């Protein structure tokens, strides 16, 4: 069973807010000059910010944040965030792989940006809503 796709817009302003909250002020997350200087295609979103957006989708599907029992991802491709008002979008989709006897649901998750997967091995285990 496929779950409804969740879409999240990401702008440079979001990256600044996340940097303030996380304390991660690495200039690859706000300076095109620095990002391209180290070989990146442009300013990129924080990996943990990307993971948090996927986590928000999982919590939404589960019905509550505390229903998420386990959640993990591997970062495979950076999310490039252009310096525009629109920024970019991350689309999060999931497929129910299994419902266990003890009432847990295993999800295989796909997160894409501009049609390319940005995470691999993205999986979650959630308490099945009753």
């Amino acid at each position: 069973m496929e779950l409804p796709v969740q879409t999240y817009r990401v702008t440079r302003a979001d990256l600044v807010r996340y940097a303030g909250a996380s304390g991660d002020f690495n200039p690859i997350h706000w300076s095109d000059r620095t990002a391209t200087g180290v070989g990146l295609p442009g300013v990129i979103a924080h990996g943990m910010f990307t993971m948090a957006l996927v986590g928000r989708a999982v919590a939404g599907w589960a019905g509550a944040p505390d229903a998420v029992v386990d959640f993990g991802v591997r970062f495979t491709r950076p999310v490039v965030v252009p310096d525009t008002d629109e920024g970019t979008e991350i689309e999060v989709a999931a497929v129910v792989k299994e419902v266990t006897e003890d009432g847990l649901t295993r999800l295989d998750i796909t997160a894409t940006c501009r049609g390319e997967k940005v995470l691999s091995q993205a999986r979650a285990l959630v308490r099945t809503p009753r």
Side-chain angles (χ1 to χ4, degrees), residues 46-56 71-73 75 119:
H46 304 74
M48 295 304 291
F49 179 62
T50 302
M51 186 176 179
L53 293 175
V54 175
R56 182 188 298 175
F71 173 51
V73 305
F75 303 104
L119 301 175

Side-chain angles (χ1 to χ4, degrees), residues 9-23 25 46 49:
R9 181 162 306 282
V10 180
T11 66
R12 295 273 179 101
D14 295 320
L15 302 185
V16 170
R17 285 189 285 276
Y18 184 82
S22 69
F25 294 100
H46 304 74
F49 179 62

Side-chain angles (χ1 to χ4, degrees), residues 30-93:
W30 55 267
S31 167
D32 280 306
R33 183 172 44 87
T34 300
T36 57
V38 299
L40 293 167
V43 166
I44 62 169
H46 304 74
M48 295 304 291
F49 179 62
T50 302
M51 186 176 179
L53 293 175
V54 175
R56 182 188 298 175
V58 171
W61 291 320
D66 65 349
V68 180
V69 175
D70 189 40
F71 173 51
V73 305
R74 297 259 171 119
F75 303 104
T76 55
R77 186 178 307 276
V79 173
V80 179
V81 182
D83 191 10
T84 63
D85 291 339
E86 297 79 28
T88 194
E89 287 184 339
I90 297 173
E91 290 189 343
V92 186

